Amino acid sequence: MSYQDEEQMGLVGSFGYGGFELENETQRNPDQKPRILLMGLRRSGKSSIQKVVFHKMSPNETLFLESTNKIIKDDINNSSFVQFQIWDFPGQIDFFDPTFDSDLIFGGCGALIFVIDAQDDYLEALTKLNQTVTKAYKVNSRIKFEVFIHKVDGVSDDFKMESQRDIHQRATDDLADSGLDNLVLSFHLTSIYDHSIFEAFSKVVQKLIPQLPTLENLLNIFISNSGIEKAFLFDVVSKIYIATDCSPVDMQSYELCCDMIDVVIDLSCIYGSKDNTDVAAFDNQSSSLIKLNNSTILYLREVNKFLALVCIIREENFSRQGVIDYNFLCFREAITQVFKLRLKNQKMENSELLDNDNDSEYKNSLSLNGSVKAKVHFEQNE
């Protein structure tokens, strides 16, 4: 990836990002991208998850996917802000096979997602989960371990909760028996037939973003000064939200925001500029306002051509739209400073010419809790 000036900013580190102005993606070394592993038994739904979330495949089309019989590496770099590699593993993989290189597989891994079919007998899957986690943790203790309790569509809420409770208890007990009492597994109920799979992947991605506390703090400041109920920072291609404010995420609100992004992208492709179709005609002029019948407004603004801020606002609080728009510009400027600082930090870490004093002085300019010291003033919406 090339950066021609300070305005062309990217974010690099524990997680991979596209730049603000992506020039030449082919210059990236794919081997340097963060890695997410998809594992589980055969027919558990691993490939379907990948195709639906990152390749826009219809859930019904996944019924015709063939079972994975080899490791499939997929670069997620389709003009998206979030960029990484997904390795889809066949369910019959044998960790004790001499040809299985654990150090290579798990060494550069950021997150490991283990998929369990909730509608099948999951005792065998739990045994495989324990083997996988135990092997991976010995190689790389920094891996984030996620369990997708998958295919929960069409079952009752009681069944979902009971399955999650049982799988959680059994998996935790198995890890304790293996001497891994302190290892934390995160569990998600997922289905490709609703937005739960996007929500789950959002949670996984957020754990790999070192600047997440900064982004969350900026969103909290923005909504508190603008009279906004809820705000999401979305990657427009995958519909993964990379950050949100501290208030709880309501699934229905999240689905509305996802649907809004689809509407904006579809309309932009039809009526927008045809000069640059690789980014779905999403540019700095992109915005949308939708009024719902419950006196709520959905408001979308473009942060850059990869990111969008989607807000949920009560209609009475939208009367001072100018204040909200001004605060948004402050928020966007603060986000730009976060990316700029991260890029400078990476350059300094890779430079052998800087002395220790300058390096220490720069690092001290960043807040230890991940916040950015941006000179931003938000206007109060009263």
Side-chain angles (χ1 to χ4, degrees):
M1 180 185 294
S2 63
Y3 300 89
Q4 294 186 354
D5 53 50
E6 283 193 327
E7 295 301 317
Q8 294 174 317
M9 302 168 190
L11 197 60
V12 186
S14 299
F15 204 72
Y17 300 85
F20 261 39
E21 298 293 337
L22 195 60
E23 286 292 316
N24 188 356
E25 181 60 30
T26 60
Q27 295 180 12
R28 279 185 75 109
N29 181 359
D31 294 333
Q32 296 178 350
K33 293 181 182 179
R35 187 186 310 156
I36 295 179
L37 307 184
L38 266 178
M39 293 186 166
L41 297 183
R42 296 186 63 186
R43 312 305 301 179
S44 59
K46 304 183 297 298
S47 300
S48 299
I49 290 173
Q50 178 184 347
K51 294 295 184 181
V52 169
V53 175
F54 298 107
H55 296 280
K56 304 299 181 183
M57 180 177 285
S58 167
N60 292 327
E61 293 181 71
T62 63
L63 297 174
F64 306 102
L65 289 176
E66 296 182 0
S67 182
T68 304
N69 54 19
K70 63 179 181 179
I71 299 177
I72 298 177
K73 302 177 183 180
D74 187 15
D75 284 335
I76 307 302
N77 58 6
N78 50 348
S79 300
S80 175
F81 183 73
V82 179
Q83 298 184 0
F84 51 91
Q85 278 190 335
I86 288 187
W87 289 18
D88 186 3
F89 284 76
Q92 66 273 20
I93 192 167
D94 182 9
F95 295 111
F96 301 102
D97 190 319
T99 61
F100 184 84
D101 190 341
S102 299
D103 293 336
L104 174 64
I105 298 298
F106 300 123
C109 175
L112 191 156
I113 300 174
F114 194 92
V115 183
I116 296 178
D117 186 346
Q119 298 187 20
D120 198 2
D121 183 6
Y122 46 74
L123 294 181
E124 182 183 355
L126 287 170
T127 301
K128 190 75 171 184
L129 169 64
N130 183 260
Q131 293 176 350
T132 304
V133 171
T134 303
K135 192 79 170 181
Y137 186 79
K138 290 179 179 178
V139 176
N140 183 1
S141 60
R142 295 174 297 176
I143 295 178
K144 308 297 183 184
F145 294 100
E146 312 288 331
V147 180
F148 285 6
I149 304 173
H150 197 47
K151 301 182 182 180
V152 295
D153 49 278
V155 300
S156 65
D157 291 339
D158 291 340
F159 180 84
K160 293 179 185 179
M161 295 299 104
E162 181 60 32
S163 297
Q164 183 175 15
R165 189 182 304 111
D166 187 41
I167 291 174
H168 184 282
Q169 186 63 49
R170 290 175 182 268
T172 303
D173 291 344
D174 289 344
L175 288 176
D177 293 339
S178 301
L180 299 177
D181 308 66
N182 298 326
L183 194 151
V184 177
L185 298 177
S186 299
F187 295 85
H188 311 267
L189 294 169
T190 61
S191 169
I192 59 174
Y193 291 96
D194 56 33
H195 290 81
S196 60
I197 190 61
F198 295 95
E199 161 78 5
F201 243 104
S202 297
K203 296 296 185 182
V204 174
V205 166
Q206 288 168 28
K207 292 181 181 180
L208 302 179
I209 299 177
Q211 293 75 30
L212 180 63
T214 302
L215 300 178
E216 291 178 339
N217 186 46
L218 288 172
L219 284 167
N220 288 332
I221 297 173
F222 171 67
I223 69 168
S224 63
N225 286 277
S226 305
I228 293 173
E229 299 295 312
K230 187 68 181 174
F232 295 93
L233 189 60
F234 273 97
D235 172 63
V236 295
V237 175
S238 65
K239 292 188 296 186
I240 287 176
Y241 68 93
I242 66 169
T244 186
D245 58 87
C246 62
S247 61
V249 175
D250 175 63
M251 197 62 185
Q252 185 176 11
S253 299
Y254 172 66
E255 291 176 1
L256 286 173
C257 293
C258 287
D259 293 341
M260 184 183 196
I261 290 177
D262 286 336
V263 170
V264 172
I265 295 299
D266 290 344
L267 290 177
S268 297
C269 290
I270 297 173
Y271 299 106
S273 172
K274 300 297 183 182
D275 298 334
N276 194 6
T277 57
D278 62 324
V279 291
F282 189 83
D283 54 30
N284 58 6
Q285 300 298 318
S286 297
S287 65
S288 179
L289 188 153
I290 298 177
K291 293 184 178 180
L292 306 179
N293 58 9
N294 60 351
S295 300
T296 300
I297 290 176
L298 298 180
Y299 191 41
L300 180 147
R301 290 293 302 269
E302 177 264 359
V303 177
N304 61 56
K305 67 181 182 181
F306 305 110
L307 293 178
L309 181 70
V310 183
C311 306
I312 300 174
I313 313 171
R314 293 190 180 276
E315 194 167 352
E316 59 267 22
N317 293 335
F318 199 70
S319 57
R320 298 182 64 190
Q321 182 181 351
V323 174
I324 296 175
D325 289 340
Y326 172 79
N327 287 342
F328 168 76
L329 295 178
C330 295
F331 171 80
R332 183 162 63 181
E333 174 61 25
I335 291 288
T336 301
Q337 292 187 39
V338 173
F339 300 156
K340 185 176 180 179
L341 283 172
R342 182 60 189 177
L343 179 60
K344 286 184 176 180
N345 188 35
Q346 186 213 17
K347 289 180 178 180
M348 292 183 69
E349 289 174 351
N350 294 335
S351 175
E352 298 179 356
L353 301 178
L354 296 176
D355 55 56
N356 292 333
D357 292 337
N358 289 337
D359 185 61
S360 176
E361 179 181 353
Y362 173 76
K363 289 182 178 179
N364 288 335
S365 70
L366 297 178
S367 175
L368 293 178
N369 65 358
S371 62
V372 59
K373 295 183 178 180
K375 295 181 180 179
V376 178
H377 171 71
F378 287 93
E379 188 71 24
Q380 188 74 34
N381 187 1
E382 298 178 341

